[in-house]
Amino acid sequence: MNIVAHQLLSYQIPDIQLGNVLGEVVRGKDYQNYPQSIATGILLHRHIDSFTDSHPIVKETTSIFHKSYGKFAPIITDVIYDYFLIKNWHLFYEEDFEQFKNSCYDLVQSTELLFPKKLNTILKSLIEDDWFEKYSTYEGIEWTLHHLTKKSKFNQSIADMGNSIKEIYLQEKKIERHFLDFFPQLQSYCKKFIIKLMPEYEVLILQNHTHRL
């Protein structure tokens, strides 16, 4: 899953949200260098990725892009699942998407000193280029995948992932159904994972305005 989903699945608990962002760069046992609540967010990030990557529904989506993009096909799936999350936002969250986006951006900006320099560069682009908004349109998805291709150190050996927008358009109904079948399972998994590690957050999570299909 991509950054919008990671933030939604942090259930508006700031330390979990911050840890989930740090999960992009914190490796191995380095999560132990952080307070437990932030460390839980880092571990949640890893578990979201592993649950997603191993799920048969997600693999079915990824197979659509595998012939043309090989091992980079999961990147396309991650990005397009954020598109379908935003498209179906009302099914999963009561707060307006624009409000949610701004609250995430505010949190990142108010805590930027906590992030390593490499991550700060990424987060600066996140806000300046308004990634959350880009993930809400086909044009933004195409832009994102094109730039991910350009940034990849393997870009000489893969086709421009931005071109996958044609296949996404043709297979939209199928991919959207995949997403809608998969995401509630991921929500349930994340709730249980956080509560297991941080039982004191159970009330916050259960009060959080999320929905299940």
Side-chain angles (χ1 to χ4, degrees):
M1 298 302 298
N2 212 25
I3 190 166
V4 177
H6 275 278
Q7 286 300 297
L8 178 65
L9 294 166
S10 297
Y11 295 100
Q12 282 199 312
I13 302 170
D15 279 2
I16 300 293
Q17 289 179 267
L18 293 175
N20 217 324
V21 173
L22 284 163
E24 293 284 349
V25 294
V26 175
R27 299 290 180 256
K29 295 183 178 181
D30 288 350
Y31 72 90
Q32 296 174 348
N33 298 328
Y34 294 87
Q36 184 182 359
S37 53
I38 293 179
T40 297
I42 295 170
L43 293 174
L44 176 65
H45 182 105
R46 297 178 185 179
H47 278 258
I48 289 172
D49 286 349
S50 61
F51 182 90
T52 300
D53 292 344
S54 62
H55 200 285
I57 293 176
V58 179
K59 287 183 176 181
E60 189 174 349
T61 302
T62 300
S63 69
I64 294 171
F65 310 107
H66 192 267
K67 182 178 179 180
S68 297
Y69 302 97
K71 63 183 179 181
F72 296 93
I75 297 174
I76 300 171
T77 299
D78 281 349
V79 173
I80 198 59
Y81 270 20
D82 261 8
Y83 167 81
F84 287 116
L85 172 59
I86 297 167
K87 180 182 177 183
N88 295 281
W89 190 257
H90 64 288
L91 296 176
F92 301 106
Y93 207 64
E94 290 184 356
E95 184 182 74
D96 178 75
F97 175 70
E98 191 72 15
Q99 291 178 312
F100 174 82
K101 178 187 79 171
N102 290 333
S103 69
C104 290
Y105 286 0
D106 288 345
L107 179 64
V108 166
Q109 289 178 308
S110 67
T111 55
E112 59 184 346
L113 293 178
L114 293 175
F115 302 125
K117 184 176 180 180
K118 177 183 177 182
L119 185 54
N120 253 327
T121 301
I122 295 171
L123 296 175
K124 183 179 179 181
S125 176
L126 164 74
I127 295 170
E128 289 182 352
D129 293 322
D130 200 356
W131 289 5
F132 277 38
E133 192 63 32
K134 279 189 166 55
Y135 298 148
S136 69
T137 67
Y138 268 2
E139 293 80 9
I141 292 295
E142 184 176 14
W143 179 92
T144 299
L145 291 170
H146 173 67
H147 281 265
L148 285 172
T149 303
K150 285 174 60 179
K151 288 169 60 178
S152 172
K153 62 182 179 179
F154 302 107
N155 61 29
Q156 298 300 317
S157 61
I158 63 168
D160 184 348
M161 289 187 288
N163 293 334
S164 67
I165 201 70
K166 301 170 187 175
E167 194 66 32
I168 292 167
Y169 179 78
L170 292 172
Q171 305 258 18
E172 178 173 5
K173 295 296 183 184
K174 179 179 181 180
I175 299 172
E176 184 170 19
R177 189 67 254 168
H178 288 173
F179 170 78
L180 293 173
D181 288 343
F182 164 72
F183 197 72
Q185 297 179 46
L186 179 59
Q187 281 185 299
S188 179
Y189 175 83
C190 291
K191 287 179 182 179
K192 292 175 182 177
F193 180 83
I194 296 172
I195 292 170
K196 180 179 179 180
L197 294 186
M198 301 289 293
E200 59 269 38
Y201 285 155
E202 182 171 6
V203 173
L204 282 175
I205 290 173
L206 294 179
Q207 287 177 343
N208 190 275
H209 298 298
T210 54
H211 302 289
R212 292 286 302 278
L213 288 177

